[in-house]
Amino acid sequence: MDYHELKYNDAIVLLERKPDIENVYVELTNSCNFNCEMCFRQSWQDKLGMMSYEDYMKLLEQFADFPNLKKVIFEGIGEPLLHPRFLDIVKATRKAGYDVIVGTNGYLMNEKIIKGLIENLVEWVIVSIDAVDLDAFENIRNADLSTIIQNIQKLNEMKKKYSSLFPKLGAEFVIMKSNYKELPKLPAFLEKLNVIWIMLSNVIPTREIFINEAVYHNMPEDFNEYFEKFKTEAALRRFPYQLPKFELNTERKCDFIETKSTVIRWDGEVAPCYRFLHTYKEYIFGREKQVYAYSFGNVKEESLIDIWTGRDYTEFRWKVKNAIYPSCTDCPLRDVCELTKDTIVDCWGMEPSCADCLWSRRIAMCPNSDILDPQALYLFQMTNK
């Protein structure tokens, strides 16, 4: 076996070099046709770009080095349907034998796109829907919800026309003080659109003026009333959902590590998760933090298998999985320590620093491909009758 030798305290840890990626998230572009109020791009510093079709095809060839790779997820900070060769990329990925999941705002799902999604048996389309009310949605996303509804209805009509079960429809909802009263309406609204699963997440403010939008930070007195109504409405319909936490918990777990996932940015940089995909500001319970993009390598310069099994990335995954990093979020020195101001390094020497990650605390929810497994949905429904 091929190992990396890591000296940790008084022990020597052997970290096996394993080509065990199971999910690859690909950001085809970081451009977007929306200008959402809570998006990372409201405070980021990155230039816009798009992965070329040729670069993706070279990347697709490298996926063969990973025998356990099952899913390719087209998501990121941008809108994947903006890519001019999106359907060609989906077709090539499906032809190579991988399941495909698409995360989208749904606005660009025209008839050609929908037909391509159906013909290529895309497994899931996950649409971001942060309000049921048209005006509330427009205030958050600066876009027209009615167009998205029409596109989803068109998708359902074409699925019926072609007698297809795919793609299945899921949704994501970012909870904020400006939209939490929409929660009880969600299950019935989504059920009518044949959406069969939703993930709720909390907002991570990326601008100071957005700090007060976080419900877990000075929670409204009536929040639990609306939250419980949502759960009741979902239970009546046996509607599967995934919920965040609303206060700090001891356990820290990274979904990207647990599901053996990696993220490849539009320019080929390989990041460990969405949080380190770009450079931007975030506010942790009101405290400003500078997040810097972090890459373990670029697939244009070295192979994905060498990056994934390299010492730095392997050691990082082992430390995160075993929570061998500090917790800045509840440290009494968090307001005076210089190391809490950015993600460069923490006081235990971890690079990049995960010590303030609210995703690992389940306050914000990572995109989790495992919950989309049909068996997981079935078990959820059976245990929640």
Side-chain angles (χ1 to χ4, degrees), residues 35 71 128 150 154 210 250 265 362:
N35 184 31
K71 299 184 179 84
S128 297
Q150 291 168 11
K154 193 181 303 177
F210 231 64
T250 301
R265 202 167 69 179
R362 294 294 195 276

Side-chain angles (χ1 to χ4, degrees), residues 65-279:
D65 293 331
F66 300 91
N68 298 328
L69 179 56
K70 304 169 186 175
K71 299 184 179 84
V72 178
I73 301 99
F74 295 113
E75 274 192 337
I77 307 306
E79 171 53 52
L81 301 190
L82 279 172
H83 198 288
R85 301 199 65 177
F86 171 75
L87 288 179
D88 293 331
I89 287 172
V90 168
K91 183 177 181 179
T93 307
R94 288 291 295 128
K95 187 176 180 180
Y98 304 108
D99 292 332
V100 169
I101 297 172
V102 178
T104 175
N105 58 42
Y107 197 85
L108 299 176
M109 282 201 305
N110 56 35
E111 188 169 334
K112 179 182 177 181
I113 291 289
I114 291 171
K115 186 177 180 182
L117 294 172
I118 295 172
E119 288 180 342
N120 288 293
L121 297 177
V122 167
E123 186 179 16
W124 283 90
V125 168
I126 312 297
V127 183
S128 297
I129 298 177
D130 300 311
V132 173
D133 179 78
L134 297 182
D135 290 336
F137 186 90
E138 186 171 1
N139 288 336
I140 295 168
R141 294 271 177 182
N142 295 309
D144 179 23
L145 177 60
S146 60
T147 299
I148 298 168
I149 294 173
Q150 291 168 11
N151 290 344
I152 293 174
Q153 290 171 335
K154 193 181 303 177
L155 172 60
N156 286 317
E157 290 168 4
M158 289 188 70
K159 282 171 63 177
K160 187 175 182 180
K161 176 182 177 181
Y162 290 101
S163 301
S164 177
L165 297 175
F166 298 96
K168 293 170 286 186
L169 279 164
E172 294 178 352
F173 183 101
V174 179
I175 302 172
M176 296 173 283
K177 288 181 182 175
S178 59
N179 72 352
Y180 72 87
K181 293 183 179 180
E182 296 280 286
L183 286 171
K185 309 173 193 174
L186 265 179
F189 173 78
L190 296 175
E191 186 178 53
K192 289 180 180 178
L193 294 175
N194 290 329
V195 173
I196 61 173
W197 166 88
I198 188 169
M199 181 178 72
L200 305 182
S201 183
N202 280 302
V203 68
I204 303 295
T206 57
R207 292 180 292 164
E208 190 172 5
I209 60 172
F210 231 64
I211 292 174
N212 289 331
E213 281 288 341
V215 299
Y216 54 88
H217 187 51
N218 299 321
M219 183 176 288
E221 291 183 4
D222 61 350
F223 173 75
N224 283 327
E225 175 188 344
Y226 287 91
F227 190 55
E228 290 302 318
K229 285 181 180 178
F230 162 79
K231 290 193 286 186
T232 298
E233 290 296 319
L236 288 172
R237 293 167 173 78
R238 298 180 184 175
F239 191 86
Y241 54 80
Q242 193 175 12
L243 301 178
K245 304 288 185 181
F246 295 95
E247 57 185 24
L248 287 178
N249 58 307
T250 301
E251 182 186 25
R252 293 180 294 173
K253 184 183 291 185
C254 174
D255 279 337
F256 281 92
I257 301 298
E258 295 296 322
T259 60
K260 295 182 173 59
S261 303
T262 193
V263 190
I264 301 173
R265 202 167 69 179
W266 68 269
D267 56 359
E269 299 293 345
V270 179
C273 64
Y274 276 1
R275 185 173 183 239
F276 293 120
L277 203 54
H278 296 285
T279 297

